[in-house]
Amino acid sequence: MSVRKPEDLGVLRFITAGSVDDGKSTLIGRLLFDSKAVLSDQLSALSRVKNKRTVGAEIDLSLLTDGLEAEREQGITIDAAYRYFATAKRKFIIADTPGHEQYTRNMVTGASTAHAAIILVDATRVTLKDGVAQLLPQTVRHSAIVKLLGLQHVIVAINKLDLIDFSESRFNEIREAYAELARRLGIADVRFVPVSALKGDNIVSASERMPWYAGEPLLDLFEALPVAQPVDQALRFPVQWVTRRDGSQADDFRGYMGRVESGEVKLGDTITLLPANRDATVAEIIAPVPGSVAQVDRAFAGQTVTICLAEDVDVSRGDTFVPRNTSGTKIEPAKKLDADLCWFDEESLSPQRKYLLKQTTNTVFARIGAIKEVLDVHTLLHSVDRHNLTMNDIGRVALTLQKPIVCDAYDTHQGTGAFVLIDEATHHTVAAGMIRAYSA
């Protein structure tokens, strides 16, 4: 028996991002409403809320995602809100993320598992300087984060065109400015759609008020977006838990639970256990099936399974199963990392402070030895004379770990190339990191 690959389900994960009040929550609400993904009792409840921002009986669709009371009272998005819906062609998971700079960490959280991003641009707030449209700083920052996190597709929704008479020239000016930003950031796949989230133009159906736009509305684009799956990636299986059935029996069951971060594992495979560097044979794979669990003959990236080995070897949480070395290229656990950090904490980074680095099922002490460069989101230049990172900064740092971990470059294996930093004293998550290089 084998379990179906997750990508066969056709699920697309995407986020909304951009600056404050660009209309992200309204766009998602409109997408849900026009695609008939909102229940009648939800609409009834929305019509009675006291904090809506629309006039008369018109429903405030942004409240479909702004679920926190503080969000409704202040008229802003604070936390990442997830919504699920499906069409006849595809299933979707949407993360509506905050636009405020102080909530950048929540945007990073939402983007970390996404395939695509909608970058919203409020056409009424873009000014011209020497004939060039000036994008807002948070639009640039979110675009830089989307690039760092390796999202596959970017769709730029140029919003609120109903307020400027659906101007084709303004759409073209903004499109040219963002195309230049994408070129400088290295974002390859960018598509542009003129929309009015409030009125529903080019969200689910093509707008009759913008006949000059010959492209597809947003929903049609999302239904057709390809989700590229990593191919030929080597197995990475970090052990989350060692499970025993009955320790008093001589033939006791012992299984190693975790998620396959990349590659696949099959019955009979010879794997290497790191950091012990011992070989073993996969004797059994147990995976959840509807209503139960069952033995399967293979497991793929993204699946949570239990693996049993034919040999009696010492395995504990944080160990990692990798393929047996047959090519002569040995996988060496690393103690030194170069990584990009998105700094979340109000207290700036301190090279003198010890942090906890959590990567897959490992948690180790780490020290930051040097801040190599910091991105200036206004100029897109990298400053090499900065010696600290403050909240919402993006910078490249060198880290030294107390003990080695099995890791990869983020561009190669996202599951084992990502980590978070935790302040040892406060237990705050202070940064998200992407490994770019590593060594023993």
Side-chain angles (χ1 to χ4, degrees):
M1 176 181 179
S2 63
V3 176
R4 190 178 184 183
K5 288 186 179 183
E7 64 264 27
D8 294 340
L9 301 176
V11 177
L12 179 73
R13 298 172 178 265
F14 66 92
I15 68 161
T16 57
S19 193
V20 180
D21 292 331
D22 281 346
K24 297 178 292 297
S25 298
T26 300
L27 182 142
I28 296 304
R30 173 61 66 182
L31 184 62
L32 295 172
F33 180 79
D34 286 359
S35 61
K36 314 300 181 186
V38 183
L39 300 176
S40 58
D41 59 339
Q42 290 177 298
L43 291 176
S44 178
L46 288 180
S47 66
R48 298 191 301 270
V49 298
K50 61 182 179 180
N51 299 116
K52 69 175 186 173
R53 287 155 277 176
T54 53
V55 178
E58 187 177 2
I59 295 173
D60 184 355
L61 294 175
S62 70
L63 298 181
L64 284 170
T65 54
D66 288 343
L68 299 177
E69 187 64 26
E71 293 178 320
R72 298 186 179 193
E73 290 176 352
Q74 298 178 46
I76 62 174
T77 301
I78 295 173
D79 201 3
Y82 295 88
R83 292 294 179 267
Y84 309 84
F85 79 105
T87 67
K89 296 181 179 180
R90 197 168 207 171
K91 297 178 181 178
F92 301 92
I93 301 175
I94 315 167
D96 180 27
T97 62
H100 285 68
E101 182 176 345
Q102 71 187 93
Y103 302 124
T104 298
R105 57 189 179 274
N106 295 6
M107 180 268 173
V108 174
T109 300
S112 62
T113 58
H115 302 120
I118 307 176
I119 302 291
L120 263 82
V121 178
D122 181 347
T124 67
R125 299 169 65 198
V126 175
T127 59
L128 294 180
K129 182 178 180 181
D130 298 327
V132 178
Q134 304 299 300
L135 301 173
L136 297 177
Q138 194 69 339
T139 302
V140 180
R141 177 180 282 105
H142 284 180
S143 299
I145 292 172
V146 163
K147 170 58 180 176
L148 281 176
L149 292 173
L151 271 66
Q152 299 174 21
H153 310 284
V154 172
I155 296 174
V156 181
I158 299 174
N159 192 25
K160 302 187 183 181
L161 289 182
D162 55 303
L163 299 179
I164 52 172
D165 297 326
F166 301 97
S167 170
E168 180 182 7
S169 61
R170 177 57 60 90
F171 170 78
N172 289 334
E173 289 163 353
I174 297 171
R175 181 179 61 183
E176 291 172 7
Y178 195 94
E180 174 60 17
L181 171 65
R183 184 193 65 78
R184 295 179 65 186
L185 289 173
I187 300 174
D189 183 15
V190 185
R191 310 170 194 215
F192 299 88
V193 184
V195 303
S196 168
L198 184 64
K199 303 299 183 182
D201 293 270
N202 283 332
I203 305 298
V204 170
S205 302
S207 172
E208 295 180 354
R209 294 182 284 193
M210 287 181 275
W212 46 265
Y213 174 66
E216 297 174 299
L218 280 177
L219 184 60
D220 288 357
L221 274 178
F222 286 138
E223 286 182 330
L225 275 183
V227 176
Q229 298 296 327
V231 295
D232 300 327
Q233 281 196 340
L235 171 68
R236 298 290 187 271
F237 180 80
V239 175
Q240 173 79 24
W241 190 257
V242 180
T243 179
R244 305 290 297 274
R245 185 172 295 160
D246 186 348
S248 65
Q249 295 184 8
D251 58 347
D252 180 35
F253 171 90
R254 182 180 297 177
Y256 308 108
M257 304 176 70
R259 185 175 70 176
V260 183
E261 293 292 347
S262 65
E264 65 175 303
V265 59
K266 304 187 295 295
L267 286 178
D269 279 354
T270 300
I271 56 93
T272 297
L273 168 65
L274 294 177
N277 200 31
R278 289 196 56 183
D279 291 346
T281 305
V282 176
E284 191 175 0
I285 305 173
I286 302 169
V289 296
S292 182
V293 294
Q295 295 187 21
V296 299
D297 56 20
R298 63 178 59 197
F300 304 97
Q303 288 183 266
T304 300
V305 297
T306 300
I307 295 176
C308 301
L309 302 177
E311 295 79 9
D312 185 13
V313 294
D314 183 17
V315 179
S316 59
R317 175 185 170 89
D319 292 345
T320 303
F321 297 171
V322 301
R324 182 178 61 174
N325 179 22
T326 58
S327 63
T329 304
K330 187 177 180 181
I331 300 173
E332 290 282 1
K335 286 188 68 174
K336 296 181 179 180
L337 310 177
D338 278 0
D340 288 322
L341 291 185
C342 295
W343 194 256
F344 297 161
D345 204 40
E346 293 180 0
E347 186 171 346
S348 63
L349 179 152
S350 172
Q352 289 75 37
R353 180 170 295 183
K354 187 185 293 184
Y355 296 97
L356 291 170
L357 182 145
K358 183 170 178 57
Q359 176 255 5
T360 65
T361 58
N362 275 300
T363 302
V364 300
F365 284 110
R367 286 193 182 278
I368 297 173
I371 299 173
K372 296 190 169 184
E373 59 185 31
V374 181
L375 175 68
D376 184 332
V377 297
H378 299 282
T379 65
L380 296 185
L381 299 176
H382 290 87
S383 172
V384 296
D385 56 359
R386 284 273 303 272
H387 302 295
N388 70 331
L389 291 179
T390 58
M391 191 167 69
N392 300 314
D393 275 342
I394 300 169
R396 182 159 297 184
V397 302
L399 300 103
T400 301
L401 311 184
Q402 184 185 45
K403 64 178 184 178
I405 61 173
V406 178
C407 63
D408 296 278
Y410 183 83
D411 293 338
T412 305
H413 294 78
Q414 290 191 0
T416 49
F419 64 88
V420 296
L421 287 182
I422 301 167
D423 188 298
E424 181 191 15
T426 65
H427 298 285
H428 291 167
T429 299
V430 297
M434 288 73 68
I435 299 170
R436 301 306 178 189
Y438 56 92
S439 64

